[in-house]
Amino acid sequence: MAFNQTRISLGGYVSSSGEGVSVDSINQILAGVTQLSLRGSTNLAGVCVDANGNLYLTDAIKNIILRIGNSGVISVIAGASGVSGNNGSTTVTAANARFNYPTGICCDRNGDLYVCDTKNNQIRKISNNKVSLVAGAASTATGTANGVGSAARFNNPYDIDTDKSGNLYVADTYNHSIRKIVGGTVTTMAGLSGTTGNVPVWANMTTAYGVYGTVARFSFPYGVACHPNGYIFVSDTGNHVIKRVDPAGNVRIFSGSGTYGGSLGTAKTCQYKDLKFSDVDPSGNLYIVDYADDSASRLVRVNGEGVPGNVINFATSLITESNYLAAVACTASGKLMVVQSEYMLEEYSSSSSSSSSSSSIDSSSSSSSSSSIDSSSSSSSSSQSSESSSSSSVDSSSSSSSESSSSN
């Protein structure tokens, strides 16, 4: 399959006055891979793309939400740079919103943004220049309770995605569970909150459906990604596997032997290290970040049979050793937006060592490339600010799709 890839290497964006951003350079670094560098330093975590091609990113350290518009204008749309805090259950203007280590982010069909406010143990919504609490304790307390809005509890949720119906799915990482939010009501879809484990494994796969959701067990699930057919892919990071939840709530192991490493192979024999954020393209392929603290991070494409293949081996293509692969999002046209970041502040990372074997860049990489995110004109979504035109844009494809991608 041919595809376009865009790597966004963001070197920071907030000026000394606390506002504004500027593009340093747009460089072709590989066939089909474009690097966008911004001025300053950065701590980027999650990324998502709306139906109009606008890109949204979280800065976990500076506690702000960033937008790169389809004309290339970059702006901070929520939070105050370098200021952490908690607004509780109060709805505030975006400028007055305070976050504490925001990570995963997704955009729904209406253009509203949802953010994992990780260290506040909350899910926040950005809409019409307002930030509100969707779920989680106003006091930032941790817990495992299901419930409506502020009655629900999370424990360091790291990623979030939305399906085409607008339902939200959360990787409740330190509760080792996958949570579902429908109309503000939080339930546990898979796993047992607060309990770690690894169920199912391949030996348990006596049926194609695996096990029912509450029987499943995860270990520090870091990422979730929604498939167009209703499946939820889970980065079961501590178990080094990818699991899949079907629309009926059944959980099966999808890819990975469970052994820490970098070898490719079949769905049952392949190895992963620290699986992070992921997204699904319009064709149903899963793209997932496999992080390694030895600079051997890679972006992996996993097909519908669970068989992986390296898209990019970042051990050979990172600009500097201090950078690492953070997150990925797919546009409606199938273009990949890959975030390269500098921060290393992770509260969980597998400590297992391995003799990883990484493949080179996938030979199916498209030779077409672009230094734009989207040149199509569109009305801004409800969470975006108005922008002036810029000479740098980041995607030459336009889409009328109403379904957006996450990543986390």
Side-chain angles (χ1 to χ4, degrees):
M1 140 181 180
F3 54 90
N4 294 323
Q5 306 157 356
T6 302
R7 183 174 70 186
I8 301 179
S9 176
L10 298 178
Y13 36 82
V14 180
S15 68
S16 59
S17 62
E19 59 186 34
V21 272
S22 60
V23 175
D24 266 354
S25 62
I26 299 176
N27 299 316
Q28 181 78 30
I29 59 171
L30 294 170
V33 184
T34 302
Q35 173 194 312
L36 172 67
S37 296
L38 304 185
R39 200 179 298 277
S41 61
T42 187
N43 305 287
L44 297 172
V47 59
C48 70
V49 185
D50 70 14
N52 296 319
N54 301 297
L55 191 67
Y56 300 90
L57 306 105
T58 58
D59 188 320
I61 306 300
K62 291 183 177 175
N63 297 300
I64 52 180
I65 312 303
L66 178 72
R67 175 178 179 268
I68 304 179
N70 52 42
S71 67
V73 173
I74 309 166
S75 56
V76 176
I77 63 166
S81 181
V83 180
S84 65
N86 172 39
N87 300 113
S89 58
T90 304
T91 298
V92 296
T93 63
N96 289 324
R98 297 294 179 264
F99 300 91
N100 191 356
Y101 206 81
T103 53
I105 186 170
C106 69
C107 182
D108 72 8
R109 57 188 177 179
N110 298 318
D112 296 327
L113 298 173
Y114 295 88
V115 178
C116 287
D117 194 355
T118 300
K119 292 187 178 180
N120 278 332
N121 300 297
Q122 297 169 344
I123 306 301
R124 311 283 293 279
K125 179 180 180 180
I126 305 174
S127 178
N128 293 320
N129 201 37
K130 297 289 181 65
V131 178
S132 58
L133 177 68
V134 175
S139 64
T140 76
T142 62
T144 62
N146 293 319
V148 179
S150 60
R153 297 290 183 269
F154 299 93
N155 190 354
N156 285 265
Y158 265 83
D159 197 18
I160 188 168
D161 202 3
T162 180
D163 63 20
K164 59 187 177 182
S165 298
N167 302 311
L168 298 171
Y169 301 87
V170 178
D172 194 0
T173 305
Y174 278 69
N175 273 333
H176 313 290
S177 61
I178 306 304
R179 316 291 290 278
K180 183 176 182 178
I181 306 175
V182 180
T185 299
V186 180
T187 58
T188 300
M189 182 182 189
L192 178 62
S193 286
T195 302
T196 187
N198 187 18
V199 179
V201 295
W202 287 110
N204 304 139
M205 293 300 299
T206 55
T207 71
Y209 300 105
V211 301
Y212 189 66
T214 53
V215 177
R217 296 292 182 268
F218 303 91
S219 177
F220 297 96
Y222 196 98
V224 288
C226 294
H227 187 280
N229 292 339
Y231 297 110
I232 310 299
F233 292 106
V234 179
S235 301
D236 193 359
T237 306
N239 288 321
H240 317 296
V241 298
I242 302 167
K243 288 176 179 170
R244 191 185 75 179
V245 187
D246 69 21
N250 299 302
V251 181
R252 61 161 294 161
I253 186 169
F254 181 70
S255 182
S257 64
T259 300
Y260 182 98
S263 298
L264 300 178
T266 68
K268 290 185 178 182
T269 63
C270 64
Q271 298 176 336
Y272 298 107
K273 294 184 179 180
D274 285 347
L275 295 163
K276 301 297 187 184
F277 293 120
S278 60
D279 203 4
V280 178
D281 72 12
S283 299
N285 297 295
L286 176 69
Y287 290 87
I288 191 164
V289 171
D290 191 19
Y291 169 74
D293 58 9
D294 58 1
S295 298
S297 296
R298 58 184 179 167
L299 178 64
V300 180
R301 180 181 60 229
V302 185
N303 68 18
E305 302 301 319
V307 179
N310 277 1
V311 176
I312 302 176
N313 175 5
F314 279 82
T316 59
S317 60
L318 287 176
I319 301 305
T320 68
E321 292 183 358
S322 63
N323 294 328
Y324 88 108
L325 188 59
V328 60
C330 297
T331 69
S333 64
K335 184 167 292 186
L336 299 183
M337 302 297 173
V338 185
V339 175
Q340 176 187 323
S341 188
E342 294 178 358
Y343 83 101
M344 298 293 292
L345 182 57
E346 295 291 337
E347 292 193 7
Y348 171 74
S349 181
S350 298
S351 58
S352 304
S353 62
S354 73
S355 56
S356 64
S357 60
S358 298
S359 299
S360 59
I361 299 166
D362 196 310
S363 60
S364 64
S365 299
S366 169
S367 60
S368 64
S369 63
S370 173
S371 60
S372 59
I373 295 188
D374 197 341
S375 61
S376 61
S377 59
S378 67
S379 57
S380 61
S381 67
S382 56
S383 60
Q384 12 185 100
S385 59
S386 61
E387 59 178 25
S388 59
S389 64
S390 168
S391 58
S392 317
S393 53
V394 186
D395 185 350
S396 59
S397 61
S398 61
S399 168
S400 59
S401 167
S402 61
E403 185 174 345
S404 303
S405 299
S406 140
S407 239
N408 8 149

